[in-house]
Amino acid sequence: MTEAIVASAGTETVDSLRPLAVLLVPLLTVGLIFLSKNRPNVREAWSILAAVAMFGIVASMVPDVLEGRVHETDLGFFVEGIELMLRADELGMLFALVASGLYVVTAIYSIGYMRGHHEPFQTRFFAMLCASVGAALGVAFASNLFMLLVFYEVLTLATYPLVAHDESEEARVSGYKYLAYALSGGLAIFGGMLAIYWLTGSITFTRGGIEGIAEVAAADPWAARGAFALLAGGFAVKAGVMPFHSWLPSAMVAPTPVSGLLHAVAVVKAGAFGVARTVIDVFGPGAVGDIGMGLPLTIAAGATILIASLFALRQDNLKARLAYSTIAQLSYIVLGLSLLSQMGLMGGLLHIPAHAFSKLTLFLCAGALYVQLDVKYISEMAGVGKRMPITMGAFGLASFSMAGIPLMAGFVSKWHLIWGGAEAGYLLVVPLLVISGALNVGYFWPVIYTAFFESEDAAGQKPVLENPFGGSPGERAYRPDGGTSPDDDEQHEDHDNHGRPELPPADGWDRSDWRGGETTPLLLVPLMTTATLMLLFGVAPDYVVFFDLIEGIVDGAMEVSE
């Protein structure tokens, strides 16, 4: 492949086909998957090969990007002033590396999950999973707001069949709800894009802010505020910022690999990434501060962190608890971006990979429990650590990371956020993060305690806002949404198990050991991989490529804004 290098404003632009090649891989693979629908082994091989190819192409651009060379694929013009260009810059590479790298893990895990649980419509599932990650990479490599919006909407349409996968009434309703929220957010982004073009004559991402945006902010701050609110608000829908969060817990009706994709790899990260593009490459931290939009964004993020954490305490359904945890954790990214300080931006962007590794580990563990033991509810998990010690050990480590325990990935990002709040003069950020960390412990500890320290014959209820922490037998039954009903004790006893045995079993779980054998390697190896990545990120963040990318992003944005 021939690549021409052109110097441009302190960086070198590389005319390259690699950003385009990343998107052509899933486009081709989706067709191959459908053609192989009657040959499951071939179909799933295409999925893994596509994941490896996408990650390999993305990784091949990392050395150049770290040295200041940006890969671009010029596809011409849509209309005058709007280029059809793909651009692999530092911020795009951050999201692309997370999405493509974790897709490799998710693709392998999905084989074990879909086969182990005998899920229907597997060909469509693997095709749409590949298409969704391809759309996420398009979001990462978009060079302007128009290109980002196109791939953002493609991501919405590609993930809808995954949310509504089993075609039950509940799944269809959840899918429609997801579409309504996501498309409404896209409409707001479209309005913000038009406003930016009208105000500046450009929608091309520029580190530190689009040319002319600072002058607009000074001359017409209310117009700039309106444009910012439309963009940030539109992206906040997929990021799950309250009150635009309701679609996300509903989407938990999807298979667990989809939940991992939604919460750790593609969809919610696309929303957070859009907020990052808005703050860093559309307005720039300086202009956001000048129009006074940093504080409202901080308040929205802080409120979401606290309220979603309280909702998580009420959930007995494990995936529902993880869903509300995601809503809270994604707002750490938004919080860091809203602080507009160097350490704050670092913390927000560091939380993109830190949360991805940790939350995907949690969802992969939840899926393994469901496939192997039919466990969906925390109150069914008493003693399950004896049966699946590696899985629950990984779950415990990922929980510690979510709570910001030192030597875990979550600690790295939250440490920067604490100092970012102090640097920005928002001292209330410090107690906010301490309280949210305590709430994380509050809703994750009962899961760990139940799995490892409760006996099967003395299990208690688990929505901890209604019972003592750790759970204890209560008089009332609890629905999965945290509500109570004095008359549904019998319904709660089998938790919609559809005829499966009562959990936990009266005679206790079979005991496993640390040598494995607790579930298939297709489920166990991926969750051990993400847990290992999480630990490496926490122990040696300076040696992980994400740290270098983020330093370059933040240094460039702050230098231009000063």
Side-chain angles (χ1 to χ4, degrees):
M1 184 186 337
T2 302
E3 297 178 339
I5 300 178
V6 181
S8 175
T11 64
E12 292 179 317
T13 300
V14 181
D15 292 330
S16 168
L17 293 177
R18 276 185 266 184
L20 178 62
V22 171
L23 305 186
L24 292 178
V25 170
L27 186 64
L28 175 64
T29 303
V30 167
L32 293 172
I33 289 173
F34 278 115
L35 289 173
S36 306
K37 63 180 180 179
N38 295 323
R39 303 175 67 185
N41 291 338
V42 176
R43 176 190 65 199
E44 291 155 9
W46 287 127
S47 182
I48 294 175
L49 287 173
V52 172
M54 292 158 69
F55 176 65
I57 297 170
V58 170
S60 73
M61 293 184 281
V62 171
D64 281 345
V65 173
L66 288 175
E67 293 176 6
R69 291 190 290 273
V70 175
H71 287 247
E72 290 185 350
T73 303
D74 190 348
L75 302 174
F77 287 86
F78 176 66
V79 293
E80 187 62 31
I82 299 180
E83 294 180 292
L84 299 177
M85 180 178 288
L86 300 171
R87 191 169 192 267
D89 61 6
E90 290 165 316
L91 184 53
M93 287 298 295
L94 171 65
F95 183 34
L97 270 178
V98 171
S100 62
L102 293 183
Y103 176 44
V104 177
V105 177
T106 306
I108 296 170
Y109 180 90
S110 296
I111 298 170
Y113 183 92
M114 300 302 284
R115 290 190 177 190
H117 202 252
H118 308 291
E119 290 282 347
F121 314 117
Q122 293 191 23
T123 298
R124 184 182 67 194
F125 170 88
F126 284 104
M128 291 300 99
L129 190 72
C130 184
S132 297
V133 177
L137 294 177
V139 169
F141 292 147
S143 66
N144 56 56
L145 280 169
F146 175 78
M147 293 289 284
L148 191 155
L149 180 59
V150 168
F151 286 110
Y152 197 78
E153 299 294 56
V154 171
L155 177 61
T156 297
L157 298 177
T159 47
Y160 165 75
L162 297 174
V163 174
H165 174 76
D166 66 11
E167 299 187 358
S168 65
E169 182 179 356
E170 181 185 7
R172 289 178 182 273
V173 170
S174 297
Y176 294 148
K177 185 175 185 179
Y178 167 62
L179 278 182
Y181 272 81
L183 293 176
S184 298
L187 187 62
I189 295 166
F190 180 71
M193 178 186 72
L194 293 179
I196 292 295
Y197 188 78
W198 175 64
L199 290 170
T200 67
S202 174
I203 55 173
T204 300
F205 298 134
T206 306
R207 187 57 36 84
I210 292 173
E211 185 177 356
I213 196 69
E215 290 76 9
V216 169
D220 195 349
W222 280 107
R225 288 176 188 134
F228 182 88
L230 285 170
L231 289 175
F235 288 121
V237 174
K238 275 186 181 168
V241 176
M242 289 183 170
F244 311 119
H245 69 288
S246 180
W247 66 270
L248 203 152
S250 298
M252 289 300 95
V253 68
T256 301
V258 177
S259 301
L261 178 80
L262 288 171
H263 290 245
V265 180
V267 177
V268 294
K269 287 297 190 301
F273 176 79
V275 176
R277 280 292 194 198
T278 300
V279 171
I280 295 172
D281 290 344
V282 176
F283 282 84
V288 175
D290 290 342
I291 60 176
M293 294 302 289
L295 182 59
L297 201 58
T298 301
I299 293 172
T304 300
I305 290 170
L306 293 178
I307 296 171
S309 297
L310 292 173
F311 272 97
L313 290 169
R314 295 177 57 87
Q315 309 307 313
D316 188 21
N317 185 294
L318 180 57
K319 284 176 65 177
R321 187 168 293 194
L322 295 181
Y324 280 103
S325 169
T326 295
I327 294 169
Q329 292 287 332
L330 261 291
S331 279
Y332 284 108
I333 300 172
V334 178
L335 176 67
L337 295 167
S338 72
L339 296 175
L340 308 177
S341 63
Q342 184 154 352
M343 289 290 279
L345 292 175
M346 283 284 294
L349 295 177
L350 282 168
H351 204 60
I352 292 177
H355 173 264
F357 297 146
S358 306
K359 185 51 62 71
L360 187 56
T361 300
L362 291 170
F363 272 107
L364 298 187
C365 292
L369 287 169
Y370 185 45
V371 169
Q372 199 67 33
L373 305 177
D374 285 329
V375 168
K376 293 193 295 183
Y377 295 83
I378 300 164
S379 52
E380 297 173 340
M381 293 175 61
V384 78
K386 295 184 298 186
R387 175 65 179 82
M388 301 183 71
I390 297 176
T391 299
M392 289 312 301
F395 189 99
L397 290 174
S399 300
F400 296 156
S401 179
M402 290 287 89
I405 303 300
L407 301 182
M408 302 291 165
F411 174 79
V412 176
S413 54
K414 293 178 184 181
W415 176 259
H416 284 80
L417 287 172
I418 288 174
W419 286 106
E423 187 178 47
Y426 294 172
L427 297 182
L428 287 177
V429 169
V430 178
L432 167 69
L433 292 172
V434 172
I435 293 170
S436 68
L439 289 172
N440 272 266
V441 173
Y443 61 72
F444 279 124
W445 174 248
V447 184
I448 301 168
Y449 178 83
T450 300
F452 286 108
F453 304 112
E454 274 196 341
S455 61
E456 293 88 330
D457 58 354
Q461 308 285 356
K462 287 303 172 296
V464 293
L465 278 184
E466 302 289 342
N467 279 306
F469 286 88
S472 65
E475 296 180 357
R476 295 183 294 174
Y478 293 84
R479 299 195 305 268
D481 63 359
T484 64
S485 174
D487 301 321
D488 68 351
D489 294 293
E490 293 182 2
Q491 295 177 23
H492 181 72
E493 285 178 4
D494 89 334
H495 277 313
D496 192 29
N497 273 336
H498 302 293
R500 294 193 295 269
E502 182 180 356
L503 297 174
D507 56 350
W509 298 106
D510 293 333
R511 184 175 292 275
S512 184
D513 58 36
W514 293 97
R515 292 173 295 179
E518 59 190 55
T519 187
T520 171
L522 289 171
L523 297 178
L524 197 59
V525 172
L527 68 88
M528 292 175 65
T529 300
T530 54
T532 301
L533 290 171
M534 175 191 71
L535 290 173
L536 289 175
F537 192 90
V539 172
D542 288 351
Y543 294 94
V544 179
V545 67
F546 298 111
F547 204 91
D548 293 332
L549 285 171
I550 292 168
E551 279 190 324
I553 296 164
V554 174
D555 289 345
M558 299 304 295
E559 182 179 351
V560 173
S561 298
E562 289 176 353

